[in-house]
Amino acid sequence: MSNADNRSQFWALYLTRFAEGFGFITLLTLLPTYINTLDPQATTVLGVTVSAGFIIGMYTTGFTLAQTVAVVPLAWVGDRFDKRRVLLVVLAVGAAVYALFPIVDSSGSFVLIRALQGVAVTGASLMSLSIVGQIADVGTRADKIGKANAASFAASIVGSLSAGAIYDAVGFGPIFTVITVLMVLAWVVVWGVLDADPTRVEGFPFTDLAVNRKIVSITAFRAQYAFAVTMVRTWVPIYAGTAMASGGLAVGATAVAVTVTIEKATNMVGQLFTGRLSDGYGRSLFVFAGGGAYGLVAISIPFAPGLGTTLGADVTLPFLGELPPAYLPLVAFSGLLGVADSFREPASMALFADEGTDEGGVASSFGIRELVWRPGSVAGPLIAGWLMVEVSMASVFHVGGAFAVTGVLAFLGILVHDHGRDALTTW
């Protein structure tokens, strides 16, 4: 295969990541609008009263549950058959799902279509990353995965900044027309450019990969790190936007959006370079350094008010309005979270791709990576909500950061036990 053909295949997969990320973030941004529009009410099902709060929770949980259920069968099908063909199927499903959103007229139909979206998002993510990891040379794998992630982050930035403005101007319909066109474009490009997948894996690769030593080692970190990222990433905008009586900064919606966007932007830019570095210097070193740095930055976030007061950071800015002293330091900390995670993520993904490719089940390897993340992503926000109300806003970031620190220490302990003093440079 020529270098030009190879580059074209990667660009097709980057486009897929962009389309998938754009659809995901747009729906996330519009969730409050759907809640206001559909106005969920308590109802009775088979004699059981279902509260409005539970229905609102299902707007997100329906999506997450569908993702969780879909991981294993989609990963198995990807390894057993042609990943390109599976990717084409989930992109087609995605295009159909986004075309259906404008006709949503009840909470029930919204939850159902959101569940289908969860299947499409999971399938597109699993297959695109698996193919990137499979066709990349071993010495460039983290670099290519980092660029694929950067495409997804770019979509998140564009989608989160544009969704509200487009809705205010023209309503729901045109937004989903744009997403549907993107999904169809990705389908056409993948169909025309991507080569068929020649690999076929018999049996159930999850069984062998679940006891793979490197995957077990990084799982000891990843299972804890999921709590850290979910708690911290979710609570940075909550800290910025909630009322001061609840421990927040009470800044406006645009200022809150900036705290979210800066983390995605620094992560996106970082992954354009850090993947290549981890290809050269080792996966474990970058997982340890990035994860540890993320925890330390998270633990430092509650010091933003004191730092802002010392620096005289209470300013008034165009579009953002009057800002409390803690706001600009919070934006800086959010940017540093993105930088730290940009070191960790491509190295972690490349490690799963390395082991999956070597063991003959790259999609299943990424599937295990997804499953390990689920407990923390579900329980983390529940813990954070309790801490915010019962303890303090600061405790959310202290506990979230501690999860990252204990995760990297557990990871280091396993590496030292297996490889001695040179643990962080072994793989």
Side-chain angles (χ1 to χ4, degrees), residues 224 228 295 298-299 397-407:
Q224 297 180 67
I299 290 169
F397 298 105
H398 290 151
V399 173
F403 271 114
V405 172
T406 57

Side-chain angles (χ1 to χ4, degrees), residues 52-67:
F54 178 84
I55 295 172
I56 291 172
M58 285 301 295
Y59 280 22
T60 295
T61 302
F63 175 88
T64 306
L65 287 176
Q67 284 189 300

